[in-house]
Amino acid sequence: MIKVFPLKEDGLYQLQVQLPRPLQDKYGQKIQLEFSVSDRNGRYRATDLDYAINSLKPITISIFRREHKQDNWYVHLSTYVPEIPVVHTRKNGCLGIDFNADSISVTYVKWDGNIEYARRNSV
């Protein structure tokens, strides 16, 4: 059994691997590894992993060794995080907010260009 846990505020995570019984006498019941997640190509992978952990989404974990890279071991985590679409079309209209020193004004313009709502509040 393999589990992923976020650690404290230092940005590290913990991977906990429960070993099979024949290996427990030699290595103990569990192995705990700390790791960090780096962002790449505009993807905030740590944010995606946090989302998957906090919302209990499935995470696929692969542990493998690369002999051609100095016999290092690697942990590969993958999860599906849905993209949240940004909805902005003319059918939705437009909201305008004006911040002034003494007031805030809000105006909603419908899709056809007509003002639906306008309000000004003094600060």
Side-chain angles (χ1 to χ4, degrees), residues 35-104:
F35 66 95
S36 63
V37 176
S38 60
D39 298 329
R40 186 171 64 177
N41 297 333
R43 292 286 310 192
Y44 300 105
R45 297 187 297 180
T47 305
D48 292 347
L49 182 57
D50 286 339
Y51 169 80
I53 292 170
N54 293 330
S55 59
L56 303 176
K57 299 292 183 191
I59 300 171
T60 302
I61 302 171
S62 302
I63 301 173
F64 55 94
R65 183 178 64 161
R66 290 192 173 157
E67 295 174 0
H68 65 282
K69 290 193 174 185
Q70 301 173 352
D71 241 9
N72 289 330
W73 286 86
Y74 293 85
V75 177
H76 180 86
L77 304 167
S78 60
T79 186
Y80 173 73
V81 177
E83 291 287 333
I84 300 173
V86 178
V87 180
H88 53 84
T89 65
R90 289 187 177 189
K91 291 180 182 179
N92 294 337
C94 180
L95 181 68
I97 303 173
D98 185 19
F99 295 97
N100 298 302
D102 61 343
S103 66
I104 298 174

Side-chain angles (χ1 to χ4, degrees), residues 6-49:
L7 284 182
K8 299 171 191 153
E9 299 169 2
D10 55 4
L12 293 177
Y13 295 87
Q14 184 181 64
L15 180 70
Q16 189 178 81
V17 181
Q18 183 172 340
L19 296 176
R21 286 193 181 132
L23 297 175
Q24 288 180 2
D25 289 338
K26 186 174 181 180
Y27 299 105
Q29 194 174 24
K30 295 178 184 175
I31 295 176
Q32 296 179 352
L33 306 168
E34 291 184 1
F35 66 95
S36 63
V37 176
S38 60
D39 298 329
R40 186 171 64 177
N41 297 333
R43 292 286 310 192
Y44 300 105
R45 297 187 297 180
T47 305
D48 292 347
L49 182 57

